[in-house]
Amino acid sequence: MKIDEVYGAWKDEKVRIDIRESFSDEVMCKIYQYEQGRGGLLFDRQQIVEFIYSHRLVRVVLVAAAGIAGFVRIAFVVFMFLAS
Amino acid sequence: MRQEIEVIRQILDGDTESFRLLVERYERPVIRMIRNITNDIESCEDIAQDVFFTAYRKLASFDPVRGNFSTWLFTITRNKSINAMKKKRALSMSELPEEGDSHNPYDEVAEKEFFRRLDSALSKLPSRQKRVFVLAELEKLPYEEIAQIEGVRVGTIKSRINRAKKRLRTSFKVFKGDIS
């Protein structure tokens, strides 16, 4: 047996795979559970977090909004302090 | 491809059961890819479940204009595999079997030894090279699709495959012959 034949046999072995028969059932079960849990919620918290993580612009807007809110709050406190 | 997009449209319209078609179609390549990238035989099916679950949840973000569903799914698989490898070094070097002394590839024992050495060499490849090798040599994906999955240029993929093969080849200097 030549070396490239053995290499080919090794690749064939790496490609061979046994999957438990219930695999797709287990995935679908997980999905149905997820759907059931999601049904009662108006906002899916996990989805909101994922949405924020996956959109850079949303992250930038949220950080900017938080920064502005913080600045306004500090400015207000300073203004109140100086006014008194 | 068109059929797949139709299935995806049905799922997004609320026909959850149609997702089973996609699971059954892609379960083998997804599990195989995870197994070969992570070397984690025990948890590769659990990771694959997570891949399909994530794919289901993010299905609305799949854009057929940007690429095939398979490319999109394999990208999720790649990312989950990387995360799994970060969490757990699946097969530490101490777990690898002892190296034998066989130099003759022409019998069964030598073949097993050859396989073991290849497994060992594959597990020692840098993560990027290993992923590309698995996708190209074992999954037989076209370079363009691998480039999309990895988010790099086709030239980079070719170079990584060449480097991976070179490393595998150098692990077998003891054997006469070559890897095509």
Side-chain angles (χ1 to χ4, degrees), chain A residues 1 3 6-7 10-11 13-17 19-20 23 25-26 28 31-32 34-35 50, chain B residues 17 19-20 27-28 32 35 45 49 56-57 106 111 114 119 133 137 175-176 178-179:
Chain A
M1 210 175 187
I3 215 97
V6 184
Y7 177 63
W10 173 74
K11 285 204 288 187
E13 195 203 59
K14 299 299 282 180
V15 168
R16 214 174 297 134
I17 191 162
I19 303 168
R20 56 178 183 257
F23 180 80
D25 289 335
E26 287 168 31
M28 291 312 294
I31 286 169
Y32 281 121
Y34 166 74
E35 283 294 347
E50 276 178 15
Chain B
E17 188 56 29
F19 191 72
R20 188 185 292 273
E27 59 185 7
R28 285 185 172 275
R32 200 165 49 210
R35 186 194 64 183
E45 289 190 15
Q49 275 195 17
Y56 177 80
R57 284 192 290 114
Y106 301 105
E111 186 182 291
F114 193 98
D119 284 339
F133 180 85
E137 289 288 300
F175 290 116
K176 286 181 180 175
D178 204 0
I179 295 169

Side-chain angles (χ1 to χ4, degrees), chain B residues 75-124:
Chain B
T75 306
I76 296 174
T77 309
R78 166 206 183 262
N79 294 340
K80 293 282 181 191
S81 300
I82 293 171
N83 288 343
M85 284 171 78
K86 277 181 192 166
K87 280 182 190 166
K88 180 191 171 189
R89 195 97 185 127
L91 187 65
S92 72
M93 298 319 294
S94 58
E95 288 175 79
L96 287 171
E98 289 293 312
E99 286 195 8
D101 206 21
S102 174
H103 285 222
N104 177 9
Y106 301 105
D107 57 32
E108 202 180 320
V109 177
E111 186 182 291
K112 279 183 185 168
E113 169 65 11
F114 193 98
F115 281 16
R116 196 200 55 73
R117 280 178 188 238
L118 275 169
D119 284 339
S120 168
L122 182 64
S123 72
K124 284 178 196 167

Side-chain angles (χ1 to χ4, degrees), chain A residues 49-63:
Chain A
V49 171
E50 276 178 15
F51 179 76
I52 293 168
Y53 268 101
S54 59
H55 293 81
R56 191 185 164 86
L57 187 66
V58 174
R59 290 204 303 271
V60 170
V61 167
L62 283 174
V63 170

Side-chain angles (χ1 to χ4, degrees), chain B residues 53-70:
Chain B
F53 184 57
T54 303
Y56 177 80
R57 284 192 290 114
K58 292 187 172 177
L59 200 57
S61 70
F62 165 65
D63 182 2
V65 178
R66 291 174 65 185
N68 296 337
F69 175 74
S70 62

